[in-house]
Amino acid sequence: MQEIYEYLNVNQFLNVAWQEKKKGNSNFSLRAWSTYLGMKHHGSLQQILNGQRSLPKKYLPKLIKSLNLDASQGLYLETLVDLDRAEADEEKEMYVERLKSLSPSPQLQMLEVETYRYLKNPLHAIVLEMTAQKNFEADLEKIRDRLLF
């Protein structure tokens, strides 16, 4: 399984973990995993894996144990869950910074963190697309006028 530190999205990590668990034991089922975690219905775990629902933190201890994560990896997973549940940009930024500090090699994650910061503001992509046009002029007035439509 890939290192947890390579992820900024809890759903992606859990999906990879699920596939690895399934590959290691073909009889292992989503129902068995959700029962082990203490969930009443396996549909809840399916929704979490699909990104339709956030992972409740009460399942973290057993999840960490089932994935054989050490304490620092468990803290990283908990921070991924917090990032997934965050709504305000400042809160998301705080969790991204925490993930960066928890990673044993933060320089490897810098590109992902910078990509996250870039993608969280859709205006960045619009301006980048605008600069790729043949008739682009680096005139602030014209850029502003085009953004205002």
Side-chain angles (χ1 to χ4, degrees):
M1 183 167 73
Q2 286 186 307
E3 278 287 321
I4 189 170
Y5 302 113
E6 296 176 18
Y7 294 91
L8 283 176
N9 181 296
V10 69
N11 301 91
Q12 289 175 351
F13 172 72
L14 290 176
N15 273 296
V16 169
W18 162 245
Q19 294 304 320
E20 290 293 320
K21 287 183 99 36
K22 187 76 173 152
K23 195 182 302 181
N25 177 359
S26 60
N27 293 326
F28 191 70
S29 68
L30 200 59
R31 188 176 303 247
W33 199 20
S34 63
T35 300
Y36 172 80
L37 295 175
M39 296 180 175
K40 293 180 181 175
H41 307 287
H42 71 281
S44 299
L45 184 55
Q46 184 67 52
Q47 289 176 328
I48 291 166
L49 293 175
N50 290 338
Q52 298 168 326
R53 182 177 179 182
S54 294
L55 176 71
K57 289 178 96 173
K58 69 180 182 179
Y59 299 116
L60 279 174
K62 286 195 174 182
L63 184 61
I64 290 167
K65 185 177 178 183
S66 77
L67 297 174
N68 298 317
L69 301 178
D70 63 28
S72 79
Q73 292 170 324
L75 186 55
Y76 191 92
L77 177 61
E78 182 177 4
T79 306
L80 280 178
V81 171
D82 290 335
L83 175 62
D84 181 54
R85 301 174 92 180
E87 293 181 11
D89 284 342
E90 299 90 26
E91 192 179 9
K92 289 178 183 180
E93 190 73 32
M94 178 190 73
Y95 289 125
V96 168
E97 288 299 321
R98 186 177 297 162
L99 289 171
K100 192 169 67 171
S101 72
L102 289 170
S103 176
S105 53
Q107 65 275 12
L108 294 176
Q109 256 195 358
M110 278 307 293
L111 181 59
E112 286 185 39
V113 170
E114 293 307 317
T115 300
Y116 166 79
R117 287 183 180 144
Y118 170 78
L119 292 175
K120 81 176 187 179
N121 186 345
L123 188 58
H124 294 153
I126 293 169
V127 171
L128 181 63
E129 186 68 29
M130 190 183 299
T131 62
Q133 295 178 355
K134 288 182 181 179
N135 60 350
F136 173 73
E137 293 179 44
D139 180 359
L140 292 178
E141 293 292 320
K142 290 182 180 182
I143 293 172
R144 188 195 65 193
D145 290 342
R146 292 201 60 196
L147 288 174
L148 294 175
F149 301 111

